[in-house]
Amino acid sequence: MTRILLIQGHPHPAGDRHGHSLERAYVEGATQGGHQVRVLSIASLDLSGLRDQADLNREQLLPVLQSAHEHILWAEHIVLFSPLWLGSAPLMLKHALEELARTSVTPNEAAGERTARVVLSTSMPGMIYRLLFRARSLKVLQNQILSFVGMQQVQETLVDRTGAPSRRWTKRLRDMGRLAA
């Protein structure tokens, strides 16, 4: 049994986005696989405390992110769901991750046998994103955030919504959840 934290990075609170259906499929598979699952929705966080340089110079974690910090420390495997918006992850997601990495989650706290997966959904063909744009946002999430805070292995899943039917991706994410991959 693995303790899994799913971070839903879509900033819209309605659960009707493509990334939400992928998240639900992963939760379903993980539950069937006997894993413990917690979900952190970035859309549910009030990040209005991050407005200017003084906010960024603060040494204490925003109170709204305290439970997120506790979830991260609890998790053995983190799955980060994010849409690709204008070549990057949504700003709210980046703000939350930066705040967590800067003020609370140190490499020593996150070290160990923890693993992660980034599930990035895009409406452009995956090959174009990888070749022309060099998968920059995906690499930032993998290398400059998750690996930085001590994740031992960070896998990637690029969900290309242009050709593959959604059912195929739903099945893939359900299978990943079952295996805690």
Side-chain angles (χ1 to χ4, degrees):
M1 176 176 57
T2 303
R3 294 186 312 267
I4 303 170
L5 172 62
L6 304 179
I7 301 175
Q8 178 52 257
H10 200 292
H12 199 283
D16 61 349
R17 303 307 196 261
H18 187 246
H20 293 109
S21 65
L22 297 172
E23 173 198 325
R24 284 190 296 273
Y26 194 100
V27 168
E28 183 181 320
T31 303
Q32 290 171 354
H35 305 290
Q36 293 179 18
V37 179
R38 292 183 184 176
V39 177
L40 171 64
S41 173
I42 296 300
S44 69
L45 302 176
D46 176 12
L47 298 174
S48 61
L50 296 174
R51 293 187 188 178
D52 60 27
Q53 190 63 36
D55 295 333
L56 295 175
N57 291 334
R58 186 184 66 260
E59 291 185 21
Q60 297 294 320
L61 181 66
L62 283 174
V64 72
L65 290 174
Q66 187 59 45
S67 67
H69 176 204
E70 292 165 9
H71 290 321
I72 289 169
L73 294 178
W74 167 85
E76 296 169 317
H77 183 64
I78 295 175
V79 183
L80 175 63
F81 292 86
S82 176
L84 182 67
W85 282 6
L86 297 171
S88 186
L91 189 58
M92 281 182 68
L93 173 60
K94 292 193 298 188
H95 276 318
L97 293 174
E98 179 181 4
E99 178 71 4
L100 284 164
R102 187 184 64 75
T103 58
S104 68
V105 182
T106 65
N108 288 338
E109 286 180 307
E113 296 299 318
R114 296 171 192 250
T115 58
R117 174 173 296 278
V118 176
V119 179
L120 186 70
S121 58
T122 176
S123 57
M124 77 172 76
M127 187 65 75
I128 301 252
Y129 178 64
R130 288 186 191 281
L131 292 175
L132 289 179
F133 298 101
R134 293 187 169 89
R136 285 187 183 105
S137 183
L138 184 57
K139 289 178 183 174
V140 165
L141 292 170
Q142 284 181 287
N143 302 325
Q144 294 173 308
I145 296 173
L146 295 170
S147 292
F148 175 76
V149 297
M151 298 295 123
Q152 296 299 310
Q153 184 181 38
V154 182
Q155 301 290 326
E156 67 179 55
T157 301
L158 181 59
V159 179
D160 172 347
R161 293 180 43 193
T162 59
S166 185
R167 280 181 289 194
R168 189 174 113 208
W169 281 113
T170 301
K171 181 184 179 330
R172 282 187 184 179
L173 268 291
R174 191 176 301 116
D175 291 344
M176 286 179 201
R178 225 176 264 116
L179 299 171

